[in-house]
Amino acid sequence: MTEGADLRDTTPWDIQDDTLHEECGVFGVIGAADAAAICALGLHALQHRGQEAAGITSYDGSEFYSRRGLGHVAENFATGEQLAELPGHMAAGHVRYSTTGGSGLRNIQPLYADLASGGFAIAHNGNISNAAALRETLVRNGAIFQSTSDTEVIIHFVATSRFPKLLDRFIDALRYLEGAYSLVCMTVEGMIACRDPLGIRPLVMGKIGDAVVFASETVAFDVVGAEFIREIQPGELVRVDFAGNIESLRPFGDPAPRPCIFEHVYFSRPDSIFDGRAVYDVRKQIGVQLALESPADADVVVPVPDSGVPAAIGFSQQSGIPFELGIIRSHYVGRTFIQPSDSARHSGVKRKHNANRLIVEGKKIVLIDDSIVRGTTSLKIVQMMRDAGAKEVHFRVASPPTGYGCYYGVDTPERSKLLAGRMDLEAMRDFIQADSLAFVSIDGLYRAVGQEARNNARPQYCDACFTGDYPTSLTDLARRESDAAQLTFPDAA
Ligand code: AMP
């Protein structure tokens, strides 16, 4: 493979402290003359899913080419020269986000390996919740890992599977995995896209002329001018060859799907369609539910931009309280959440948001945001409203309390770092210093996606971050917890 990457140097802690938690976006195209350029454009539309690194691998029928680099898509794939490094009619790409220390260059995807069957490139959105256990077994058996990414275990299983055909080897590899994976892979036979049996992370399929495209979100299709065909079904594997033949397989039977409800709450772009519903509309409906469940006596509804905007519109329309932009956002600062240290995150909130005094001064306001995670943003914003002269600040949150960590690829921290993991409602209100605080109920959230309530016996979504009801085993977490318990009680019988 030819590697034309912008491999800017990395610091030692990058390499040592890689974590496995990632949020990502994937894109793939097969059958287009300018595959890499389409891929770059698609990734650009998925930039909100990962801002630390980006990579594209292409295939021209005889060789694979790869370019990967830290930073945004536009920094790595903007010029004709950069894209000229990626010839061929097939390309797959990835945008990556990682938490503190997880930005080692060797983890930037697509990952690539030369297998007995030929080149194999893989781009992964999600998190494999037994990756550490699998890796340990593989290493014990002699596997040599190039990255600390959970995705690499898939390559090793494909490489060592006893099945003669590549597709069978790939399916064989997937059987070992637990957790969330939406994958776009390239082989010398064509492209494979698949979604884990529960469909936790999204993946959609479209067409541009005769070319077939795959992406994490439909917004990428809008941007590249592709027609949205359908979602890849949970547990479905789609194979496309170079003649344009499309084959759909269901190697895992038909388990009840559990797509991630947090895609609707925060993660997906509002102009995407996820699980058959427009994300924008779901967010507005959550605002409607909030207004019904937890009304507030206020003069204006103010969204925390941009995350709270659609829900605030819904709240305003339902309550009749006017919607106003009481906070203005700078568009030159990325998501505050991704800053690696707490102090950087604090200053990030200030650089990102500023009070619009004209709207706020002397008013009773209802502030709306999509979620409270650590509480950093809400505390600062409530303070900002008071400093700008707000008479009362009522905080309404367009999701239930985020009380549990996510182990499926959304970087929600572990329970001990979550405000709702540590405090009850009154303590949270006191912490963020709001006059009142309310979250939409879990049933209200399900009403916003068109259900009557959460079906507790058979929930339609993965909502583990709100309920603690994890739809798969969490092998690595269980092992970490048991190791920690042994460390805490070394003398226990
Ligand atoms: P915090 O300040 O830690 O309470 O984070 C809450 C803010 O982060 C909200 O404004 C959300 O829009 C945003 N947010 C929530 N979840 C995530 C996530 N997984 N990644 C990035 N940002 C998030």
Side-chain angles (χ1 to χ4, degrees), residues 134-151:
L134 295 174
R135 185 189 177 97
E136 223 176 271
T137 312
L138 285 160
V139 169
R140 225 180 293 123
N141 290 332
I144 297 167
F145 277 78
Q146 305 281 322
S147 76
T148 56
S149 156
D150 55 336
T151 311

Side-chain angles (χ1 to χ4, degrees), residues 401-471:
T402 305
Y404 302 87
C406 175
Y407 304 96
Y408 302 124
V410 172
D411 178 45
T412 308
E414 64 201 36
R415 190 162 162 77
S416 61
K417 297 204 177 92
L418 294 167
L419 202 64
R422 301 191 284 126
M423 299 179 190
D424 64 14
L425 184 67
E426 173 52 22
M428 286 194 273
R429 187 208 58 74
D430 189 49
F431 177 87
I432 66 167
Q433 294 168 23
D435 292 291
S436 74
L437 169 67
F439 295 79
V440 78
S441 67
I442 189 79
D443 287 337
L445 178 59
Y446 274 85
R447 276 192 283 279
V449 293
Q451 304 271 299
E452 268 175 35
R454 181 181 196 261
N455 178 342
N456 291 332
R458 215 165 180 269
Q460 187 192 342
Y461 285 94
C462 174
D463 51 21
C465 51
F466 306 129
T467 60
D469 174 10
Y470 295 96

Side-chain angles (χ1 to χ4, degrees), residues 126-127 129 179-180 200-201 406-410 462 464 470-474:
N127 192 60
S129 57
I200 297 177
R201 300 260 70 85
C406 175
Y407 304 96
Y408 302 124
V410 172
C462 174
Y470 295 96
T472 72
S473 329
L474 296 171

Side-chain angles (χ1 to χ4, degrees), residues 91-111:
H94 191 261
V95 284
R96 178 162 189 274
Y97 164 101
S98 66
T99 50
T100 312
S103 48
L105 286 166
R106 61 196 174 139
N107 285 341
I108 302 177
Q109 298 193 22
L111 298 182

Side-chain angles (χ1 to χ4, degrees), residues 20 128-145 147-150 152-154 156-157 176-177 475-483 486:
L20 297 177
I128 296 165
S129 57
N130 63 341
L134 295 174
R135 185 189 177 97
E136 223 176 271
T137 312
L138 285 160
V139 169
R140 225 180 293 123
N141 290 332
I144 297 167
F145 277 78
S147 76
T148 56
S149 156
D150 55 336
E152 198 179 343
V153 298
I154 304 174
H156 284 276
F157 281 118
Y176 291 94
L177 311 181
T475 300
D476 290 347
L477 177 70
R479 279 161 38 111
R480 280 203 300 276
E481 284 176 351
S482 100
D483 286 355
Q486 280 171 28

Side-chain angles (χ1 to χ4, degrees), residues 271 329 334 336:
D271 43 350
R329 182 196 156 165
T336 50

Side-chain angles (χ1 to χ4, degrees), residues 23 97 262 266-267 304 307 335-338 345 369-378 410-412:
E23 303 178 44
Y97 164 101
F262 203 70
Y266 171 81
F267 207 37
V304 177
S307 46
R335 286 182 170 179
T336 50
F337 201 81
I338 66 168
R345 205 176 295 123
D369 202 358
D370 69 293
S371 58
I372 293 181
V373 183
R374 297 178 185 85
T376 320
T377 311
S378 353
V410 172
D411 178 45
T412 308

